[in-house]
Amino acid sequence: MIFSRLSVLLLVSALAVRAADKNPLVIAEVQRAEPVNYEREVLPFLSDNCLACHSKTTAKGGLNLETRELMLKGGENGAAIVPGRASESLALQAAAHLDADLAMPPRDNKAKAKDLTPEQLGLLKLWIDQGAKISPKVERTIEWQPLAENLGAIFAVAVTADGQFAACARANRVFVYHLPSGRCVANEVAGRDQVNALAFNPDGTLMASGGYREVKLWRRARDVQKYRLAEAGPRAAMSPDGKWLATSGDDGSVKLWTLPGGQPARSIATASGAVAALKFSPDSARLACAGADKSLTIWNVAYGQPLGRVEMPGDIAALAWLGDDVATGGSDGVVRIWNAALAPVKELKGGPITALEAVAPNRILTGSADGVLRIWEIEKDQPVAQMNHGAAITAIAVRPDGQRFATAGADNAAKLWSADGKPVAELRGNRYVQEAAEERDRALQVESGTVAYRKEGATNSEKQMKGAQERVKKSTDAIPLKQQDLETKQKALAEATTAKTALERALAGAEAELKKGGEVLEAADKLVLLAKNDADALKTLTTPDQAAIDKALAEAATKTQEVAKAKAERDQREVLRKQAAEKIEPATKKLAEAEAALKKAETARTVAATELTLATAEEQKTTAALALAQTAVEAAETSRKQAEAKLQTARAAATAAAQPIRALAFSPDNQTLATAGDDQLIHTWSATSGAPFVVLKGHEAAVSWLGFAPDGDLISAAGDRAAVVWNLAPEWKLERTIGTGETKSTLIDRVNALAFSHDGKLLATGSGEPSRGGEIKLWNVVDGALIRDLPNVHSDAVLGLDFSPDDKFLASGAADKMARVIDLETGKVARTFEGHTHHVLAVSWSLDGRTLATAGADNLVKVWDATNGTRKKNIEGYEKEVTAVRFVGAAATLLTSSGDNRVRLVGLDGKEVRAFPEVADFMQAAAITADGKFVIAGGQDGVLRVWNATDGKPLVVFPR
């Protein structure tokens, strides 16, 4: 809503089409004795229809209506309100259209402001007439209402760096999915209002969700042991019904434990030496025990009584139940099948047997030292199928549905096979160690890029230094020439000065002689006149003396001759004076020219000297810059070499992590395959594709046995004689809440952005009251304590946050159309990036920390040089808001999502790298794994989509 006259003038074209607005609006007569409550009755409709244009963020006409004081201060045309006199207040005149030129708000305004209703106008009038008083603040309880059931749009997504878990927010719930298995592992209520932000910490064990005035931290524990059985033994077996666990050591005894709970039941002596293998019957009532003493014993589990015993002709390496029959195998390569009374039934001859597993009552699987996995039909003497593992087989397993087999071999690898014998995947090494090596590889890419960047900088500095040196040389060479020219001009000036002085003297002499000649002529003229006068006087005498007259005339004639001579001499002197005077002008001109030439030469000499000074300073500056650049190159080279060494170490560790595998087990739900061996770890994988799941740590010796309970718990036994029951699906538990979600919360309004620092120690939150101000705060992840408040960074709600790779800076984007970088050491804004014409919705750093990308509601992605704050590129081609932007690994590529139903990869040059298919609606958020292999995105339709980033193929879809 706009009140100032200047704002009205700016919108006059819009007002011209509003003929209806020229008529005043109806102002209801509100009659009551009690004061109007400003906070409850007036501020709400001012906020809805006025503050979008008249606030701290956008004060059109210089008018801010956020507080009573600011209304009294007014804008360019004076105060908006006059307490006690509503009719004189511009606010009411504009709102009620009392003045046709002030009618507000304009039609079809972008803020969607509406004309005030008669009741609202009446309240505004009464409030002003009552003195425009601010109502005393009263703490109000927020009356929360249930969210509508049809709210299912996704406004926030997050994915763990390792790609194991993806999260999305629908309404006030957070959903967490295990991507390799495609299962939903958490569906939690995260607040009473819409969840607007999600983030995982670097190791993927902590998730933050942001809602209205609160942030919740959810923890998923690793290596969760339900319980541990000490002194159990390295070999074990579990009954199919999950009620019994049998463990054995090297003393020939077997311990029975009840499950769940792991309470000891009894101990039975089965052999005179170590127990080589244990297996429960399908009905869980009997236990077959193979001893290193070549004995096979069957026991009644319930009572611990032996049901039969037989001595084998050879060692027993493995055994399996075929219904009521028992199969044994050993190094002699013979599979012997025994009935319930331990009478021989059949023999199958293959390679030396290292592992046995029943596929069905009439089908058995054998693993051999020759590396061959054989499938046998009991009725036939030859295997019906066989698969070559490639090395001696140490363990085998069959998935409960029979659609997958697994083998472990002496090549330190496990292999997953389809039911028709085709290889599905090779499982090798430690996922975490491999991922660490991949991270080191990305770090090396960054360091290599930094070396190239520093070398380019050094090359440019070298070019600048050479240019400066050439400038110095040119300036130095110019000095003697300019000096020589100056001296020539000085000599010419001296000569011109001397010449002019001589001419001036000559002219002065000529003028003196001329003056003297004039004086002589004048005297001669006087003498002639006297002589003539004397002759004339003699003639007048009564008796003239002719002789005297003649003498006087003769003397006059003589004087006349002298006058003629003097005149001739004077004329000659006049000629000489004129000649001298004529030479003065060119001499003067020549002198002036000499003076000008000298001044020019002096200026040129001064300019040359100044140029040399400047060139020398530039040379010193560029030399210093080159030295710094070369130092930076050396430092970058050192860092690159260190990164190379770390990568080689990580790769060696990844290679060393591939150790012998001794045990395999499939889960009852056919989803998980567990492997374990000499590395003392338990590795879990997708039982369908072989994709890695989690790695469990807890044993202190090689793991020799694995088994799944019917409820999905994994049990392991190892050389440390411990049996451990693991929880493979620990819950995401609420660990801490920051803020209260209420009026007095430490967080203002909705938390729109979350970011963990790369060291996992800090959590940044971005929020703020729309059009009033932005809020950025840093929290200690360990205890939730506020570390730093960063006020006044933005003047509107903060919508995007991202820590720089070195955690020294925090980038932010907000509804004030600005992106900024905060120096976290000082808490001050280090850079401001101005150029977006609408909200900045997301920010992202490149791995090298030199580039920042911002996404805006102006349908643009902008790429900035973070080192100097300049814009490098505008990426266009979006038809609606760009809602997310993320750098992809160490590549110069960005992941973006936008409201025009697109999720795509684009290069920093703006060219599209890949568009991801099957996007059906306005996309609100997107994320990518640290290795750049998997992309997730969600939007208005509430569907979370996952793609392979490498080829763009859809992997899984999680509906709302």
Side-chain angles (χ1 to χ4, degrees):
M1 188 170 185
I2 303 172
F3 296 113
S4 75
R5 294 182 185 277
L6 178 60
S7 298
V8 174
L9 291 175
L10 293 173
L11 294 165
V12 68
S13 60
L15 291 173
V17 298
R18 294 182 57 182
D21 288 349
K22 294 181 179 180
N23 299 320
L25 300 177
V26 175
I27 303 176
E29 288 293 333
V30 181
Q31 296 182 351
R32 68 186 194 189
E34 67 274 12
V36 176
N37 187 301
Y38 172 77
E39 294 283 343
R40 188 175 68 249
E41 298 179 278
V42 178
L43 182 58
F45 62 74
L46 290 182
S47 298
D48 290 341
N49 301 289
C50 304
L51 298 188
C53 296
H54 296 287
S55 63
K56 179 181 178 181
T57 304
T58 306
K60 293 189 176 180
L63 181 61
N64 187 336
L65 299 174
E66 291 184 297
T67 67
R68 177 181 186 273
E69 289 72 20
L70 290 171
M71 292 184 201
L72 291 171
K73 179 181 178 182
E76 296 172 356
N77 201 50
I81 59 173
V82 181
R85 300 195 295 273
S87 60
E88 299 177 18
S89 299
L90 287 176
L92 184 64
Q93 292 176 18
H97 303 183
L98 298 177
D99 184 337
D101 293 333
L102 283 177
M104 287 292 147
R107 189 178 182 181
D108 299 327
N109 58 85
K110 294 182 179 180
K112 297 182 180 180
K114 300 178 180 179
D115 291 337
L116 299 187
T117 66
E119 290 73 19
Q120 290 170 339
L121 290 169
L123 283 171
L124 178 61
K125 180 178 182 299
L126 183 58
W127 176 66
I128 298 173
D129 283 338
Q130 289 178 343
K133 297 178 180 179
I134 299 300
S135 307
K137 288 189 176 182
V138 178
E139 294 295 338
R140 293 176 296 173
T141 301
I142 300 175
E143 298 293 338
W144 292 97
Q145 301 297 319
L147 292 173
E149 294 183 0
N150 61 349
L151 290 179
I154 294 174
F155 289 97
V157 301
V159 65
T160 56
D162 59 9
Q164 285 289 306
F165 296 96
C168 69
R170 299 185 182 99
N172 65 337
R173 304 187 74 90
V174 174
F175 298 81
V176 182
Y177 300 94
H178 184 234
L179 291 183
S181 64
R183 292 178 292 177
C184 180
V185 296
N187 178 355
E188 301 291 343
V189 175
R192 290 171 290 191
D193 193 26
Q194 174 74 45
V195 176
N196 301 296
L198 291 170
F200 284 105
N201 72 338
D203 67 8
T205 60
L206 188 66
M207 177 181 65
S209 62
Y212 184 74
R213 295 183 175 178
E214 66 179 0
V215 170
K216 292 191 174 181
L217 296 176
W218 310 82
R219 177 77 66 178
R220 181 181 186 274
R222 280 184 173 176
D223 304 325
V224 179
Q225 298 182 16
K226 286 190 171 182
Y227 51 91
R228 186 184 187 94
L229 307 178
E231 298 302 320
R235 284 166 290 283
M238 184 169 49
S239 62
D241 62 7
K243 295 181 179 180
W244 296 97
L245 177 68
T247 63
S248 66
D250 296 330
D251 60 356
S253 65
V254 173
K255 294 179 181 179
L256 289 176
W257 313 78
T258 59
L259 297 177
Q263 296 300 316
R266 65 181 59 88
S267 177
I268 54 178
T270 64
S272 58
V275 175
L278 295 169
K279 188 78 73 172
F280 281 92
S281 63
D283 61 5
S284 303
R286 291 162 291 172
L287 176 66
C289 303
D293 58 1
K294 302 180 183 180
S295 66
L296 173 63
T297 308
I298 297 179
W299 297 82
N300 179 288
V301 175
Y303 303 104
Q305 298 297 321
L307 300 177
R309 178 184 176 89
V310 67
E311 296 292 331
M312 297 291 164
D315 65 293
I316 305 175
L319 58 83
W321 285 86
L322 299 171
D324 288 333
D325 294 341
V326 178
T328 62
S331 60
D332 61 1
V334 178
V335 177
R336 295 176 174 85
I337 301 175
W338 312 81
N339 63 19
L342 291 183
V345 175
K346 189 177 182 64
E347 292 185 353
L348 304 173
K349 295 182 180 180
I353 305 301
T354 54
L356 286 173
E357 197 68 45
V359 181
N362 65 335
R363 177 171 286 201
I364 194 170
L365 206 63
T366 64
S368 301
D370 60 8
V372 177
L373 176 69
R374 297 176 175 85
I375 302 175
W376 303 80
E377 295 284 355
I378 302 302
E379 295 81 8
K380 299 179 180 179
D381 293 331
Q382 296 294 326
V384 296
Q386 59 185 33
M387 293 150 269
N388 192 348
H389 180 93
I393 294 176
T394 56
I396 61 175
V398 180
R399 205 168 77 176
D401 63 1
Q403 296 304 303
R404 289 287 188 273
F405 305 137
T407 57
D411 55 355
N412 300 342
K415 293 185 178 179
L416 189 63
W417 308 84
S418 63
D420 58 3
K422 294 181 179 178
V424 174
E426 181 175 280
L427 319 177
R428 182 186 294 272
N430 185 334
R431 190 200 104 200
Y432 297 150
V433 178
Q434 181 61 40
E435 289 169 358
E438 293 174 357
E439 184 177 358
R440 292 297 184 190
D441 187 39
R442 291 192 293 274
L444 177 59
Q445 293 178 49
V446 170
E447 295 297 342
S448 297
T450 299
V451 169
Y453 172 77
R454 296 301 184 191
K455 283 185 175 179
E456 182 181 3
T459 299
N460 292 335
S461 295
E462 188 174 2
K463 289 179 181 178
Q464 292 172 356
M465 189 193 70
K466 287 181 178 179
Q469 289 175 337
E470 290 175 0
R471 181 182 175 187
V472 169
K473 185 178 184 303
K474 185 177 179 181
S475 300
T476 303
D477 292 344
I479 292 292
L481 296 176
K482 299 299 181 183
Q483 183 64 36
Q484 183 179 358
D485 184 53
L486 175 62
E487 292 172 354
T488 300
K489 296 298 189 293
Q490 288 173 333
K491 182 178 180 182
L493 176 62
E495 291 174 351
T497 301
T498 300
K500 184 182 177 184
T501 301
L503 289 172
E504 287 175 339
R505 289 198 189 105
L507 177 60
E511 288 179 339
E513 290 295 322
L514 179 62
K515 182 179 180 182
K516 182 177 180 182
E519 292 174 349
V520 171
L521 178 61
E522 184 179 357
D525 282 338
K526 289 180 178 181
L527 291 175
V528 170
L529 182 60
L530 289 173
K532 287 182 178 181
N533 288 337
D534 288 345
D536 290 340
L538 290 174
K539 289 179 180 181
T540 61
L541 294 175
T542 306
T543 55
D545 186 349
Q546 188 61 42
I549 291 171
D550 291 339
K551 183 179 178 181
L553 291 174
E555 187 175 353
T558 300
K559 294 301 181 182
T560 299
Q561 289 177 350
E562 289 177 357
V563 167
K565 182 179 178 182
K567 184 177 182 181
E569 288 178 354
R570 188 201 66 182
D571 290 343
Q572 181 63 34
R573 287 171 179 170
E574 176 63 20
V575 170
L576 292 175
R577 186 197 69 77
K578 286 183 178 180
Q579 290 176 346
E582 289 174 354
K583 291 179 180 179
I584 286 293
E585 182 176 355
T588 301
K589 183 178 180 181
K590 188 173 182 181
L591 177 60
E593 290 175 349
E595 288 176 340
L598 176 61
K599 186 175 182 180
K600 186 176 181 180
E602 288 175 339
T603 301
R605 174 65 176 79
T606 302
V607 169
T610 302
E611 171 65 11
L612 178 59
T613 301
L614 295 174
T616 302
E618 182 185 4
E619 180 187 24
Q620 293 172 347
K621 182 179 178 181
T622 55
T623 300
L626 177 59
L628 289 175
Q630 290 173 337
T631 300
V633 170
E634 292 173 0
E637 289 279 13
T638 299
S639 295
R640 183 182 61 79
K641 291 178 181 178
Q642 291 174 347
E644 283 182 341
K646 290 179 180 178
L647 175 59
Q648 295 304 319
T649 300
R651 285 177 173 170
T655 301
Q659 296 189 30
I661 298 173
R662 308 294 182 184
L664 299 168
F666 281 99
S667 63
D669 61 2
N670 303 306
Q671 295 290 324
T672 306
L673 171 64
T675 66
D678 290 2
D679 63 359
Q680 305 177 15
L681 303 173
I682 300 168
H683 308 262
T684 58
W685 319 77
S686 168
T688 301
S689 65
F693 289 176
V694 299
V695 180
L696 303 172
K697 182 179 181 181
H699 284 290
E700 298 179 356
V703 180
S704 52
W705 177 84
L706 293 171
F708 277 94
D711 61 1
D713 286 343
L714 176 65
I715 305 177
S716 60
D720 56 8
R721 301 188 62 78
V724 179
V725 179
W726 304 88
N727 180 2
L728 293 185
E731 298 177 353
W732 287 89
K733 293 183 179 180
L734 181 62
E735 180 175 89
R736 179 174 294 105
T737 298
I738 298 174
T740 64
E742 303 295 340
T743 305
K744 293 184 178 180
S745 174
T746 55
L747 293 166
I748 297 175
D749 214 86
R750 288 180 170 83
V751 177
N752 305 303
L754 294 167
F756 282 98
S757 59
H758 293 84
D759 62 10
K761 296 179 180 179
L762 296 177
L763 173 67
T765 61
S767 59
E769 193 170 357
S771 80
R772 305 292 292 275
E775 177 184 75
I776 299 175
K777 291 185 176 182
L778 299 178
W779 308 85
N780 187 322
V781 172
V782 174
D783 58 12
L786 179 63
I787 298 295
R788 172 170 275 176
D789 189 0
L790 300 168
N792 304 321
V793 174
H794 291 280
S795 59
D796 208 336
V798 177
L799 304 173
L801 294 171
D802 194 25
F803 281 90
S804 63
D806 58 7
D807 287 335
K808 292 182 179 179
F809 300 94
L810 179 68
S812 60
D816 61 3
K817 308 172 188 176
M818 298 290 182
R820 290 188 166 92
V821 169
I822 306 159
D823 185 331
L824 295 180
E825 182 178 357
T826 64
K828 296 181 179 180
V829 174
R831 297 279 183 201
T832 295
F833 303 92
E834 185 175 358
H836 281 287
T837 58
H838 212 309
H839 297 8
V840 178
L841 300 176
V843 295
S844 180
W845 288 91
S846 63
L847 270 186
D848 57 20
R850 295 193 296 270
T851 306
L852 186 72
T854 58
D858 53 2
N859 309 349
L860 287 175
V861 171
K862 290 181 179 287
V863 181
W864 310 86
D865 187 327
T867 62
N868 58 29
T870 60
R871 181 175 58 83
K872 299 170 70 173
K873 179 71 177 178
N874 273 354
I875 299 178
E876 303 175 345
Y878 299 92
E879 297 177 7
K880 291 185 180 179
E881 298 95 316
V882 185
T883 55
V885 62
R886 298 300 302 176
F887 271 91
V888 179
T893 308
L894 296 169
L895 169 70
T896 65
S897 65
S898 50
D900 52 4
N901 305 354
R902 288 197 290 177
V903 177
R904 58 179 181 151
L905 297 178
V906 295
L908 295 185
D909 57 1
K911 295 181 180 179
E912 183 176 288
V913 176
R914 181 169 297 106
F916 297 97
E918 300 179 14
V919 179
D921 211 332
F922 192 112
M923 300 307 290
Q924 299 279 9
I928 191 166
T929 54
D931 58 11
K933 294 180 180 178
F934 301 105
V935 169
I936 69 168
Q940 204 65 30
D941 61 0
V943 177
L944 182 66
R945 294 174 170 83
V946 184
W947 295 273
N948 184 320
T950 305
D951 58 19
K953 293 182 179 179
L955 295 177
V956 64
V957 172
F958 300 105
R960 58 185 291 183

